[in-house]
Amino acid sequence: MGRFRRTMDTAKASWAVLQHDRELAVLPILGALASLAVVAAIGIPIWLSTDGIDDGGSSAGSDPMLWIGGIIILFAVTVITVFFNAAVVSGARERFSGGDPTISSAIKGAFSRLHVIVPWAILALTVGMIIRAIQSSDNMVARILGSLLNMAWGVLTFLVVPILVVEQTGPFRSLSRSGELLRHTWGENLIAQVGFGIIGLVAAIPGIIIIAIGASAGSAGALIGITIGFAWIALVSVVISTLTAIFQMALYLYATTGQVPMGFENSGISDTFHERSQGPLMRGFGGGGLGGGRF
């Protein structure tokens, strides 16, 4: 129950920040739209020009243009995903610093870190492809190893984006730095990843139910139900993604300063930092709410 309560307290603290800066939730949506635009702009012309489906109905996956196009799309989508995640983290940092983030300021903050975002995207994509190759093996042991490596990679890189935003270091240094901070934050790291995932799954249940009901209805009802259901699940995904990014910034700030960001005092964020001292970081945002004071 203690871990569950800490997860809920952490989610509530992140939610409080999001309530003050709801525009931060727009950033993952912009990222998703940008990714779809890239897939359409690059994927469709390549698919059409290489006859993606041959006359026999089988995929022309052996065509090198499809492989090259696929890699380009994966790279572009990875850069976009990291970029907009960094934008949310940058906006959260601005709020924790006493500012009032906007979509423009958050994107500007991420854009100024593009020189470290792109190299990290290359490393993340490379490692991700290797792990996926291991997971797709026919060998059961290899698949289990791939799953464990995927989990370990997620834990190890949990604070990389805040490091990119604040310290602006290269991919390997950022990875090493995230590993250093992991020694102090592993408890909250795991709680956040598992806890936010569970919260997202529970929150998505209404959407799943709506889809199931719609699918069992007539054609018109199915279309409406499935549309509403998927829209709900997408909304939940956006909110959870934003809350996670906000928490990443809060956890990074505490790990590097020993001070609890305003709004996270009761979240249990300091439970795994027994040897760190706490300081008066951000006592108020403009006199009592989320708003004033700079760290």
Side-chain angles (χ1 to χ4, degrees):
M1 288 299 294
R3 289 189 177 91
F4 176 76
R5 184 166 53 251
R6 284 166 62 188
T7 298
M8 294 304 299
D9 290 341
T10 296
K12 289 178 182 178
S14 301
W15 177 257
V17 175
L18 181 57
Q19 286 294 95
H20 281 264
D21 300 290
R22 297 180 181 179
E23 58 269 31
L24 294 181
V26 175
L27 295 169
I29 297 176
L30 295 178
L33 293 176
S35 295
L36 290 174
V38 166
V39 171
I42 300 176
I44 294 177
I46 291 178
W47 184 262
L48 294 176
S49 65
T50 56
D51 295 325
I53 299 298
D54 62 25
D55 293 337
S58 60
S59 174
S62 60
D63 193 312
M65 282 302 297
L66 286 178
W67 286 97
I68 294 173
I71 292 175
I72 293 175
I73 290 173
L74 284 175
F75 170 69
V77 170
T78 301
V79 171
I80 291 171
T81 300
V82 177
F83 178 88
F84 281 97
N85 191 15
V88 178
V89 168
S90 180
R93 183 195 186 199
E94 186 175 353
R95 167 55 66 188
F96 288 138
S97 299
D100 186 16
T102 62
I103 294 176
S104 176
S105 67
I107 291 178
K108 183 182 296 184
F111 190 79
S112 66
R113 275 77 173 176
L114 202 59
H115 64 288
V116 293
I117 288 175
V118 173
W120 170 250
I122 294 174
L123 177 60
L125 176 60
T126 301
V127 174
M129 291 178 69
I130 293 173
I131 291 176
R132 280 192 290 272
I134 297 174
Q135 289 178 310
S136 62
S137 171
D138 293 332
N139 187 292
M140 176 65 73
V141 175
R143 290 202 297 269
I144 295 175
L145 175 61
S147 297
L148 293 175
L149 287 174
N150 189 49
M151 292 174 58
W153 179 252
V155 172
L156 180 63
T157 60
F158 189 68
L159 293 178
V160 163
V161 174
I163 292 170
L164 294 177
V165 169
V166 179
E167 302 180 20
Q168 302 189 49
T169 51
F172 293 103
R173 175 53 189 158
S174 297
L175 182 62
S176 175
R177 176 69 166 146
S178 183
E180 293 173 6
L181 296 178
L182 175 63
R183 293 199 299 268
H184 304 290
T185 65
W186 65 270
E188 294 302 325
N189 185 324
L190 292 175
I191 287 173
Q193 295 203 49
V194 176
F196 279 112
I198 293 175
I199 292 174
L201 180 61
V202 172
I205 289 177
I208 296 173
I209 294 175
I210 292 174
I211 291 174
I213 294 174
S216 63
S219 57
L223 178 60
I224 295 174
I226 292 175
T227 300
I228 295 176
F230 275 111
W232 174 261
I233 293 174
L235 176 62
V236 169
S237 178
V238 166
V239 171
I240 293 298
S241 174
T242 308
L243 294 181
T244 301
I246 291 172
F247 175 70
Q248 285 174 321
M249 190 70 248
L251 184 59
Y252 170 83
L253 290 176
Y254 189 77
T256 55
T257 67
Q259 301 175 330
V260 182
M262 176 64 184
F264 281 82
E265 297 89 347
N266 299 319
S267 67
I269 196 173
S270 62
D271 288 357
T272 56
F273 297 81
H274 299 301
E275 296 181 357
R276 285 181 172 272
S277 60
Q278 298 187 32
L281 178 65
M282 296 162 245
R283 291 305 182 191
F285 290 80
L290 287 170
R294 291 184 175 271
F295 75 96

